[in-house]
Amino acid sequence: MAKKKITNVSDLPGVGEKIGQKLKAAGYIDMMSIAAASPKELGDTANVGELTATKIINTAREELDIGFETGKEVDDKRLQIRKISTGSENLDKLLEGGIETQSVTEFHGAFGSGKTQVGFQIAVNAQKPIDEGGVAGNVIILDAENTFRPERIRQIAEAEGMDADKVLENIFVARCYNSDHQMVLAEHVGEMIKEKNVKLVIVDSVTSNFRADFSGRGELASRQQKLNRHLHTLQRLADVYNVAVYITNQVMANPAILFGDPTRPIGGHILGHFSTHRLYVRKSKGNTRIARIVDSPNLPEGEAVYIITPDGIKDPEEK
Ligand code: GTP
Ligand code: MG
């Protein structure tokens, strides 16, 4: 008789109800998250020795259904990808249709480059039907900088001819007070995605809390490690639930306070590794903005020019 697979974290040998609760609260909710943990990390969380942690991790690995997929299955899954229009045809063209599900799309740029505004626009557009540039889904916003503005959403929704109250009711906002809080929220987003038909998750910005919490020189490694885990969580959400994940990351505009490339995003190669598509946005004249693809597995290099208007993200007027 085939042995029944363990699926509940508390049922793992050496865990039990009490440690299980602790692990789940820290985001180790299934075999996959335990299997992918480091013994040190897991040991610290569960308050057990590294040896015990290693045993727990090894059991989780054995219990895990390591899933090989056929090329056909991967293809079928990719056919489920949907794109959210950004409001600008130029930008949509650059993104080959818009911000896509099953991917993490990162916009980085200086303050005022319009990263938050793009987030507002797609939070509205995502709710439109598929044939109108939306994904007929609701939106989760992890607001790390306290920049969510319902009145701005209202303005954009009304310009789109949508019922602004309805649009606002379909956006679920959580303010993130620090990096740990942000990580816990992200780890619980999965449950809500299913419950509330969410198709877009926005994290604005993904880095600010980590920057504030790990500012000392010696803390760089821990910051990268935590960010790494957070981004991994987000990538998995995109992948598992077929949602679009849009993250922002501010880069310094003042070259005097940074060595090397002043436009290098915080998180460096770690963010790069976990974001599927990365765009660098910069200000141009007035309300004009220019987005450039910095890194993407399938999008060709290129730039798009768009404008931020009271009605939202648009294309510049033809001259
Ligand atoms: P940080 O979060 O500081 O890094 O900046 P950001 O990249 O998120 O910039 P944000 O999206 O907040 O862009 C704000 C800019 O949008 C303003 O500086 C304005 O130039 C521009 N903008 C143009 N029209 C409007 C409008 O009608 N409302 C608002 N709120 N902003 C507009
Ligand atoms: Mg912003």
Side-chain angles (χ1 to χ4, degrees):
M1 205 174 78
K3 202 170 113 237
K4 196 169 176 296
K5 283 260 174 202
I6 299 175
T7 50
N8 186 342
V9 172
S10 302
D11 293 342
L12 283 165
V15 177
E17 211 40 60
K18 213 169 127 217
I19 296 177
Q21 292 298 340
K22 253 192 238 171
L23 288 174
K24 284 179 204 165
Y28 298 102
I29 49 164
D30 53 17
M31 292 307 119
M32 177 64 96
S33 44
I34 303 250
S38 77
K40 168 109 181 57
E41 216 178 41
L42 194 89
D44 287 350
T45 309
N47 205 9
V48 299
E50 276 193 43
L51 207 69
T52 311
T54 307
K55 277 189 195 152
I56 295 172
I57 290 168
N58 285 343
T59 316
R61 287 182 180 174
E62 285 162 21
E63 295 299 319
L64 192 68
D65 281 315
I66 300 286
F68 278 96
E69 291 175 296
T70 64
K72 177 72 170 65
E73 280 163 340
V74 176
D75 190 42
D76 286 347
K77 192 173 162 208
R78 286 196 59 79
L79 287 174
Q80 303 297 316
I81 293 177
R82 297 286 174 269
K83 318 240 181 173
I84 303 165
S85 169
T86 60
S88 152
E89 276 183 35
N90 291 346
L91 189 51
D92 285 353
K93 209 185 281 169
L94 183 73
L95 292 164
E96 292 184 348
I99 306 289
E100 69 176 15
T101 63
Q102 293 178 32
S103 284
V104 175
T105 302
E106 178 209 323
F107 272 47
H108 64 262
F111 73 92
S113 55
K115 305 178 293 291
T116 297
Q117 296 298 318
V118 168
F120 289 163
Q121 182 73 58
I122 57 175
V124 172
N125 285 0
Q127 301 184 35
K128 295 183 182 177
I130 288 168
D131 57 4
E132 289 173 31
V135 286
N138 299 332
V139 183
I140 287 177
I141 299 181
L142 300 189
D143 181 12
E145 300 186 342
N146 202 13
T147 50
F148 178 72
R149 293 291 176 271
E151 61 274 20
R152 181 64 177 135
I153 296 280
R154 185 175 289 282
Q155 199 179 10
I156 295 171
E158 278 167 3
E160 296 290 340
M162 296 161 81
D163 180 338
D165 285 316
K166 266 203 191 134
V167 168
L168 284 167
E169 269 172 18
N170 292 333
I171 299 176
F172 306 94
V173 189
R175 176 92 171 83
C176 319
Y177 293 100
N178 57 52
S179 56
D180 284 315
H181 186 213
Q182 186 170 325
M183 288 171 78
V184 172
L185 285 170
E187 280 151 10
H188 286 278
V189 155
E191 301 151 25
M192 234 181 118
I193 288 177
K194 279 191 283 189
E195 221 172 276
K196 306 279 190 190
N197 183 37
V198 169
K199 289 282 171 211
L200 168 66
V201 176
I202 294 173
V203 188
D204 186 15
S205 79
V206 78
T207 41
S208 52
N209 276 321
F210 291 85
R211 206 178 330 189
D213 295 348
F214 301 91
S215 50
R217 259 183 182 273
E219 293 183 302
L220 225 63
S222 347
R223 179 173 87 185
Q224 287 296 51
Q225 202 179 30
K226 286 232 165 169
L227 245 180
N228 183 337
R229 200 172 118 201
H230 183 47
L231 290 158
H232 188 228
T233 306
L234 296 173
Q235 179 62 65
R236 268 193 60 210
L237 287 176
D239 203 44
V240 172
Y241 299 103
N242 191 23
V243 297
V245 176
Y246 171 77
I247 63 176
T248 70
N249 183 15
Q250 195 195 69
V251 298
M252 316 270 183
N254 182 357
I257 54 171
L258 259 195
F259 299 100
D261 183 356
T263 61
R264 224 177 96 89
I266 298 287
H269 64 282
I270 295 284
L271 273 196
H273 187 67
F274 283 105
S275 306
T276 321
H277 310 293
R278 319 183 72 204
L279 286 89
Y280 171 59
V281 276
R282 65 183 196 273
K283 285 190 224 182
S284 185
K285 248 190 246 154
N287 279 338
T288 309
R289 300 291 185 271
I290 302 167
R292 173 161 54 91
I293 305 264
V294 186
D295 192 15
S296 166
N298 57 299
L299 301 174
E301 282 177 27
E303 289 194 338
V305 181
Y306 57 95
I307 52 174
I308 310 174
T309 77
D311 287 350
I313 306 294
K314 304 279 173 213
D315 288 311
E317 313 260 320
E318 298 283 342
K319 278 187 211 111

